[in-house]
Amino acid sequence: MAALALCYNIQMKDYRHGSHTAFSIHLHIVWITKYRKKILTKEIATFVRDVIRKECNKQKVDILKGNISKDHVHVMVSIPPQLSISRLVQRLKGKSSYLVLSKFSQLEKVYWGRHFWARGYFVRSSGNLTDEIIKNYIEKQSHNDDNFKI
């Protein structure tokens, strides 16, 4: 692992560490309000941001960058390898939906089904290394067994 970091001029301090792991899993996640309603303003947006921060902290997820627009949320996070993306998004959307609809009773008229967020989400991985760089690195490794080369 250190060889890979040296090969790409990456410092080990740039990685997060577990007891037996070093990792850098960065994700860009986006989700929208149900019916694309533009209601994430002022107090509601601040409340959603605070809920997302608390849930990420509980899951040991680092928020690298985030933005709440009127009808959607963008967040770039660094997640530990044992946490699945779907579980993270489920917790962020589920907890924030429940708490927002509980706190802001005026939203009950708009979101009568207790669903604050639309179904689904967008996610894309991000990182310093491109697929081509990793493929080239693997290709240049010395192997005694040619059966593993692709």
Side-chain angles (χ1 to χ4, degrees):
M1 192 167 357
L4 181 64
L6 289 174
C7 178
Y8 296 119
N9 199 20
I10 299 171
Q11 302 294 320
M12 287 303 287
K13 66 178 176 53
D14 294 336
Y15 291 100
R16 292 177 60 190
H17 298 272
S19 58
H20 300 284
T21 59
F23 57 91
S24 176
I25 305 170
H26 294 178
L27 303 171
H28 174 210
I29 306 170
V30 182
W31 65 93
I32 63 172
T33 58
K34 191 149 180 103
Y35 314 120
R36 205 73 196 229
K37 297 279 188 185
K38 298 182 183 312
I39 53 121
L40 295 174
T41 57
K42 301 176 186 169
E43 191 179 356
I44 296 172
T46 302
F47 186 77
V48 168
R49 181 195 62 195
D50 293 343
V51 171
I52 291 170
R53 282 180 174 166
K54 286 178 188 170
E55 283 304 305
C56 283
N57 191 35
K58 284 182 193 175
Q59 299 298 315
K60 297 188 180 359
V61 171
D62 291 344
I63 298 174
L64 305 175
K65 202 64 142 172
N67 183 51
I68 297 182
S69 297
K70 292 181 181 181
D71 63 353
H72 64 281
V73 174
H74 282 272
V75 66
M76 185 173 185
V77 294
S78 173
I79 66 169
Q82 69 272 16
L83 180 62
S84 73
I85 299 166
S86 60
R87 174 61 80 183
L88 173 64
V89 175
Q90 179 185 27
R91 293 189 68 107
L92 294 177
K93 288 175 64 179
K95 183 64 88 165
S96 61
S97 178
Y98 175 78
L99 293 174
V100 164
L101 293 174
S102 297
K103 179 171 175 134
F104 300 99
S105 58
Q106 71 270 25
L107 296 177
E108 288 178 7
K109 294 175 187 166
V110 178
Y111 299 106
W112 45 268
R114 305 266 326 147
H115 297 285
F116 182 70
W117 303 111
R119 293 177 73 182
Y121 58 93
F122 167 84
V123 64
R124 185 168 192 329
S125 62
S126 163
N128 294 334
L129 305 179
T130 65
D131 291 346
E132 285 305 312
I133 292 172
I134 294 170
K135 287 177 186 174
N136 287 336
Y137 174 79
I138 293 170
E139 182 66 32
K140 291 177 183 175
Q141 297 303 299
S142 61
H143 296 280
N144 294 334
D145 184 1
D146 283 341
N147 292 334
F148 196 74
K149 281 197 169 185
I150 299 172

